[in-house]
Amino acid sequence: MTLTLAEAEKILADNFAPWVLDLGLAVVETGEHHAVLRLPWSDRLAREGGGMSGQALMAAADTATVIAVSAARGAFVPMTTVQQSTSFQRAVIGADVVLDARVTKLGKRMAFADISMTAAGSRDPAARASAVYALLG
């Protein structure tokens, strides 16, 4: 049982800090073990040089993982990030970012995920992350 887009959007709206919601993330797709979110380009998120900031990408990856884990479980449960590692491969300039979060292992107390972040219209990832979550509920 996976989440509908409406259920995923409600999880996003109900469980994240206002500054995360200010990123403007939208849930594009949910599946049995994944979620795809879109981070819209904003000059507010750009760093010197015009590229989207790593902080925005990492927050978006963290958020996408919560939605993916919720999709894999069929509902939201309280969870917390235990570890997140991000590798930046190329700058994103003037484009939305598509985040594809895939749950690679889901246990009773822990979840593991890989996240790919790609500039809209590109095939080459801009960044990749891996995350570990503790499931609290």
Side-chain angles (χ1 to χ4, degrees):
M1 172 172 107
T2 191
L3 300 176
T4 66
L5 291 180
E7 291 168 331
E9 285 285 352
K10 183 161 176 37
I11 291 168
L12 187 61
D14 291 349
N15 294 285
F16 290 91
W19 69 267
V20 175
L21 298 177
D22 287 347
L23 293 172
L25 289 161
V27 182
V28 176
E29 177 184 323
T30 57
E32 189 175 328
H33 288 95
H34 77 281
V36 178
L37 277 67
R38 187 176 196 99
L39 173 62
W41 171 262
S42 168
D43 288 334
R44 289 182 50 221
L45 301 179
R47 59 177 176 74
E48 187 176 333
M52 188 171 290
S53 72
Q55 294 94 330
L57 291 170
M58 291 177 72
D62 191 61
T63 305
T65 303
V66 171
I67 303 300
V69 171
S70 296
R73 291 186 56 104
F76 175 79
V77 295
M79 62 186 89
T80 190
T81 310
V82 173
Q83 182 272 337
Q84 181 176 325
S85 175
T86 306
S87 298
F88 301 98
Q89 299 171 332
R90 59 188 43 80
V92 175
I93 300 173
D96 292 358
V97 176
V98 178
L99 297 104
D100 187 348
R102 304 260 165 186
V103 176
T104 58
K105 180 173 174 45
L106 180 63
K108 290 181 181 180
R109 299 208 183 269
M110 302 291 285
F112 299 79
D114 290 325
I115 307 94
S116 175
M117 295 164 263
T118 307
S122 175
R123 290 187 171 166
D124 299 320
R128 294 186 182 276
S130 62
V132 180
Y133 275 72
L135 306 176
L136 307 174

